[in-house]
């Protein structure tokens, strides 16, 4: 069973639909036991960082998430909340990835909205653009596994142990997004 | 590099896709979900669904359709047509729409933009502006282009940005359905004045029209309907052409 973390950050319909399209069953829950029992946990989110963190703390989900052992994937705001700190609402986050989340400088349209290329191992993933919508970005750090360039270079994907994070929306990134999501759902630990 | 976006638009009436010429004379163009899937597979970057006969009785039909679309397609989509309240927008977003598009309702009650943006984020709110060149200036029209307002297009566009719109979908009624090309003068002006993405709409008839609008104005996306529905331009061909002409778009 796949669990999607339920919290006050936007709606999870698209993520749920994408998982079901790939043939997996999933539940949307904020119950810590259900999250701990799940084979994989997905942490989506479109919303505001400080209010999302406040909600997670109030529910005790911050500690639950940090201690999960199964494959865990944060998407967009979910990924940003896995970092040390976010400028959005000036808030300490979960501290899984040792990096900071900052607002894009206003040198181009903000948010970045649309399809962009990601760079993995120094190589551009040609013809595999993914869909981004965000005003804040995570700085590149040791845990960065892919970068993207918009105004500056930032973390498009991060990984540490069982924790994965992506700034883009795999659930909205066409076939390549489905492949990325499927790869995560098929992980065996 | 962030790519320019190509967006097919599906006008929906009674659950079918239709396309009008100059907002009238509707021609049936098929089932929305089928078309949507085809466009997503062909490489469309986003989709827009506009319910052009949205009335209260039809509201449920539209949200059912949104749920169906969300289950079937894997790219972002916007839904619009007669959304008058935060509740209606919330229902469509919760059933899977990535963005909602407001038009007449935002002119009547501009706070609606703010209400939706503060609950779901600016990235969820597209303001569609239907504009026409009348007596030497670009004016905003509402009710499917039937009613002229006092608003100047440029002023209204600036105001919706301040209110929290995440994107503007600008349709030139002078060119809509004519296939004579996008109306570049007003697009250029709006893009220069605003800091949110602008989607060009109305008048696409050839691949060159897309190239020109991207070359001559800094719009983020271009939208079209009939040229795609009736197969006059195929999305893969269009994208190949644009990339060859250094207008960079996503290829799959």
């Amino acid at each position: 069973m796949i669990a999607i973390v339920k919290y006050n950050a936007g709606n999870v319909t698209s993520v749920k639909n994408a998982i079901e399209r790939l043939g997996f069953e999933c539940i949307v829950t904020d119950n810590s036991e259900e999250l701990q029992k799940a084979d994989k946990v997905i942490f989506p989110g479109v919303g505001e960082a400080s209010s999302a963190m406040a909600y997670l703390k109030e529910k005790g989900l911050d500690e639950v998430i940090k201690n999960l052992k199964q494959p865990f994937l944060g998407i967009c705001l979910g990924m940003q909340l896995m970092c040390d700190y976010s400028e959005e609402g000036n808030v300490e986050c979960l501290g899984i990835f040792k990096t900071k989340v900052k607002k894009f400088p206003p040198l181009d349209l903000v948010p970045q909205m649309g399809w962009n290329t990601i760079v993995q191992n120094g190589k551009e993933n040609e013809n595999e653009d993914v869909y981004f919508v965000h005003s804040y970005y995570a700085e590149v750090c040791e845990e960065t596994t892919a970068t993207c360039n918009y105004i500056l270079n930032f973390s498009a994907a991060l990984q540490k142990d069982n924790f994965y994070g992506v700034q883009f929306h795999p659930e909205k990134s066409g076939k390549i997004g489905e492949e990325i999501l499927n790869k995560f759902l098929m992980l065996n630990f | 590099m962030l790519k320019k976006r190509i967006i097919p638009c599906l006008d929906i009436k009674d659950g079918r896709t239709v396309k009008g010429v100059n907002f009238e004379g509707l021609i049936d163009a098929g089932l929305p979900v089928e078309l949507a899937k085809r466009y997503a597979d062909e490489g469309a970057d986003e989709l827009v669904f506009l319910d052009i006969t949205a009335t209260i009785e039809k509201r449920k039909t539209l949200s059912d359709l949104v749920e169906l679309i969300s289950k079937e397609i894997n790219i972002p989509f916007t839904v619009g047509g007669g959304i008058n309240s935060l509740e209606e927008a919330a229902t469509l977003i919760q059933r899977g729409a990535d963005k909602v598009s407001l038009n007449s309702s935002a002119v009547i009650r501009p706070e609606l933009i703010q209400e939706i943006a503060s609950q779901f984020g600016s990235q969820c709110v597209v303001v569609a502006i239907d504009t026409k060149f009348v007596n030497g200036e670009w004016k905003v029209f509402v009710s499917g282009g039937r009613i002229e307002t006092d608003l100047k297009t440029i002023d209204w566009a600036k105001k919706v940005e301040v209110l929290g719109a995440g994107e503007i979908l600008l349709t030139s009624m002078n060119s809509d359905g004519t296939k004579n090309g996008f109306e570049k003068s007003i697009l250029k002006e709006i893009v220069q004045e605003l800091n949110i993405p602008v989607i060009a709409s109305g008048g696409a008839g050839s691949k060159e029209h897309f190239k020109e609008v991207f070359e001559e104005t800094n719009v983020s996306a271009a939208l079209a309907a009939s040229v795609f529905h009736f197969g006059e331009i195929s999305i893969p061909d269009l994208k190949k052409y644009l990339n060859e002409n250094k207008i960079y778009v996503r290829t799959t």
Side-chain angles (χ1 to χ4, degrees):
Chain A
M1 179 66 78
I2 312 298
I4 300 175
V5 181
K6 180 177 162 186
Y7 67 122
N8 63 336
N11 85 93
V12 298
T13 315
S14 310
V15 173
K16 187 167 184 284
N17 285 340
I19 295 169
E20 288 174 353
R21 259 198 310 274
L22 291 167
F24 294 86
E25 279 183 66
C26 68
I27 51 164
V28 180
T29 180
D30 58 2
N31 176 294
S32 36
E33 260 175 55
E34 283 182 330
L35 290 172
Q36 283 154 346
K37 271 196 331 224
D39 300 316
K40 311 268 165 20
V41 176
I42 295 192
F43 186 41
V46 175
E48 197 274 327
S50 65
S51 57
M53 269 315 293
Y55 183 90
L56 292 175
K57 281 195 170 152
E58 182 196 315
K59 294 266 174 184
L61 289 175
D62 54 336
E63 288 305 316
V64 172
I65 288 173
K66 282 192 261 185
N67 292 304
L68 289 174
K69 299 288 174 247
Q70 66 271 59
F72 181 96
L73 175 65
I75 298 173
C76 195
L77 177 67
M79 180 217 84
Q80 296 183 356
L81 295 177
M82 294 162 79
C83 300
D84 279 335
Y85 164 84
S86 174
E87 261 183 21
E88 190 181 22
N90 185 24
V91 65
E92 296 293 319
C93 298
L94 297 170
I96 295 165
F97 301 131
K98 300 293 161 208
T99 189
K100 288 191 169 105
V101 174
K102 296 189 166 172
K103 182 151 188 168
F104 278 126
L107 303 173
D108 201 338
L109 303 182
V110 175
Q112 161 167 242
M113 185 187 286
W115 300 78
N116 203 338
T117 312
I118 59 175
V119 177
Q120 258 179 316
N121 306 318
K123 197 174 141 285
E124 286 198 354
N125 288 6
E126 270 176 56
N127 302 325
E128 295 186 353
D129 284 5
V130 288
Y131 189 79
F132 290 88
V133 183
H134 60 130
S135 301
Y136 292 78
Y137 67 93
E139 290 182 312
V140 174
C141 64
E142 228 171 80
E143 289 120 357
T144 301
T145 53
T147 60
C148 177
N149 188 278
Y150 184 73
I151 301 176
L152 39 76
N153 275 319
F154 65 87
S155 295
L158 297 140
Q159 193 217 334
K160 187 188 182 187
D161 307 326
N162 57 319
F163 292 101
Y164 297 76
V166 287
Q167 179 60 66
F168 53 90
H169 289 271
E171 77 280 13
K172 286 288 161 185
S173 294
K175 284 205 183 74
I176 183 68
E178 283 183 348
E179 281 168 28
I180 293 167
L181 207 49
N182 196 49
K183 218 188 255 177
F184 171 79
L185 295 170
M186 299 295 279
L187 280 175
N188 240 327
F189 269 52
Chain B
M1 176 197 293
L2 183 67
K3 306 302 191 296
K4 299 290 185 185
R5 288 173 279 153
I6 300 297
I7 308 178
C9 175
L10 291 79
D11 288 348
I12 311 289
K13 185 174 186 274
D14 304 330
R16 304 274 301 178
T17 313
V18 293
K19 180 59 199 172
V21 178
N22 276 341
F23 280 36
E24 282 163 32
L26 303 171
I27 304 166
D28 192 291
L31 284 173
V33 178
E34 271 174 33
L35 252 187
K37 267 185 88 169
R38 197 187 90 200
Y39 290 143
D41 291 344
E42 287 178 355
D45 298 310
E46 281 185 45
L47 297 169
V48 170
F49 298 85
L50 290 181
D51 191 352
I52 57 170
T53 53
T55 55
I56 293 162
E57 309 87 73
K58 302 274 168 58
R59 185 62 48 208
K60 193 167 178 309
T61 322
L62 181 62
S63 66
D64 288 346
L65 181 64
V66 165
E67 187 173 306
L68 203 60
I69 295 162
S70 174
K71 285 200 157 90
E72 292 286 336
I73 72 162
N74 52 19
I75 57 171
F77 69 96
T78 301
V79 182
I83 299 167
N84 293 310
S85 67
L86 175 62
E87 293 69 39
E88 288 172 336
T91 303
L92 296 170
I93 292 168
Q94 276 148 11
R95 294 189 82 172
D98 297 285
K99 311 176 193 178
V100 291
S101 169
L102 308 175
N103 193 329
S104 310
S105 59
V107 172
I108 295 163
R109 204 169 67 79
E111 312 82 71
L112 182 59
I113 299 169
Q114 240 163 354
E115 290 167 15
I116 303 172
S118 61
Q119 181 148 349
F120 296 101
S122 284
Q123 82 290 340
C124 280
V125 189
V126 180
V127 173
I129 303 177
D130 292 336
T131 186
K132 196 172 174 180
F133 197 63
V134 199
N135 300 327
E137 51 187 9
W138 288 96
K139 300 292 283 289
V140 176
F141 280 67
V142 293
S143 299
R146 287 188 295 272
I147 301 172
E148 184 179 346
T149 69
D150 295 334
L151 295 165
K152 281 190 199 169
T153 304
I154 189 75
D155 296 342
W156 176 234
K158 284 190 204 164
K159 184 168 179 192
V160 305
E161 178 179 17
V162 172
L163 289 169
E167 218 166 14
I168 286 181
L169 167 55
L170 190 82
T171 302
S172 158
M173 294 166 58
N174 301 72
S175 54
D176 196 45
T178 64
K179 300 189 180 169
N180 289 329
F182 294 94
E183 194 63 64
K184 292 176 294 262
S185 61
I186 182 68
L187 286 165
K188 208 170 178 172
E189 196 180 341
I190 291 205
V191 169
Q192 277 166 357
E193 294 286 338
L194 268 64
N195 292 307
I196 54 175
V198 176
I199 305 168
S201 159
S206 68
K207 292 187 276 195
E208 290 74 17
H209 292 152
F210 286 90
K211 172 175 164 271
E212 285 165 14
V213 79
F214 287 124
E215 272 175 355
E216 294 174 34
T217 77
N218 202 12
V219 293
S220 300
L223 174 145
S226 48
V227 288
F228 296 136
H229 302 336
F230 300 111
E232 291 155 37
I233 298 178
S234 90
I235 294 169
D237 273 359
L238 172 61
K239 289 192 146 186
K240 186 165 174 275
Y241 169 81
L242 290 174
N243 277 321
E244 284 167 359
N245 283 280
K246 300 195 162 46
I247 304 291
Y248 295 108
V249 290
R250 174 179 73 115
T251 50
T252 50

